[in-house]
Amino acid sequence: MAKGDRAAFEELYRRTSPWMAVRLRRRCVDEQIVAEVMQETYLAVWRAAGAFAGTAVGGTATGWLWTIAARRLVDAFRRRAHHAEPPPAAAPPDVAPAAEELALAGTVDGDVGDALRCLAPELRQVLQAMVLDGLSVRETAVLLGLPEGTVKTRARRARIEMRRALA
């Protein structure tokens, strides 16, 4: 793909697009946003294929692909929140929820969702990446720009707090 091989790109798309669509739909129920994110993701992959460092930095193509897609999804939620008009009678909230919170609200409900939303943001990010998105410790570390040891520590703390909240 880095050399402009369209067949290689088509093969990557054929192998990863069903998986990508399922993962995006777990975080967003709006099919239009999912379709836009898919298109933006694969366009970004096509354009930046030469920049993929791959296994040289301990990453995988699917991890790289998901990192791009997750960031595009957050961007889409931010755009939607920015362009949405509140109902005329509604008072603006004190603090608008982050795009990640909107994605999380559409994914996890009930006691588990409440406990997850009560976690500190840095713990929730790690748990969300590893559990909801299915990323490895290494992929989570690359996605969040953290050392692997920090990711492991935060994941452990998040799980302990979740157990405590759900007990």
Side-chain angles (χ1 to χ4, degrees):
M1 265 181 34
K3 296 177 183 174
D5 184 351
R6 187 179 177 107
F9 175 76
E10 288 172 357
E11 183 66 17
L12 175 75
Y13 182 83
R14 187 187 65 73
R15 289 184 183 194
T16 60
S17 64
W19 162 85
M20 178 70 65
V22 168
R23 290 185 83 173
L24 289 170
R25 284 185 190 113
R26 275 195 240 151
R27 299 183 96 187
C28 178
V29 294
D30 187 332
E31 284 296 320
Q32 184 178 358
I33 289 177
V34 170
E36 288 173 13
V37 168
M38 292 272 294
Q39 184 176 8
E40 290 174 11
T41 299
Y42 284 101
L43 180 60
V45 166
W46 174 253
R47 288 179 175 165
F52 175 58
T55 56
V57 295
T60 63
T62 55
W64 181 61
L65 192 64
W66 177 247
T67 299
I68 293 169
R71 290 181 179 163
R72 294 292 192 272
L73 183 61
V74 169
D75 291 343
F77 278 118
R78 286 185 179 139
R79 280 192 307 270
R80 183 172 72 175
H82 177 71
H83 295 298
E85 293 184 26
D94 293 43
V95 177
E100 292 85 355
E101 296 301 321
L102 294 173
L104 186 59
T107 305
V108 181
D109 292 327
D111 293 339
V112 174
D114 293 340
L116 192 56
R117 284 184 284 280
C118 288
L119 286 176
E122 64 274 7
L123 300 180
R124 186 173 50 247
Q125 284 179 326
V126 169
L127 202 60
Q128 189 172 347
M130 292 179 71
V131 176
L132 297 179
D133 298 338
L135 298 179
S136 69
V137 170
R138 178 172 287 152
E139 291 167 338
T140 301
V142 170
L143 174 68
L144 300 176
L146 299 170
E148 287 183 39
T150 302
V151 169
K152 290 176 186 178
T153 301
R154 288 182 182 178
R156 185 174 190 289
R157 283 180 43 213
R159 287 184 174 114
I160 289 169
E161 287 189 30
M162 288 290 290
R163 279 189 207 108
R164 216 177 285 147
L166 294 171

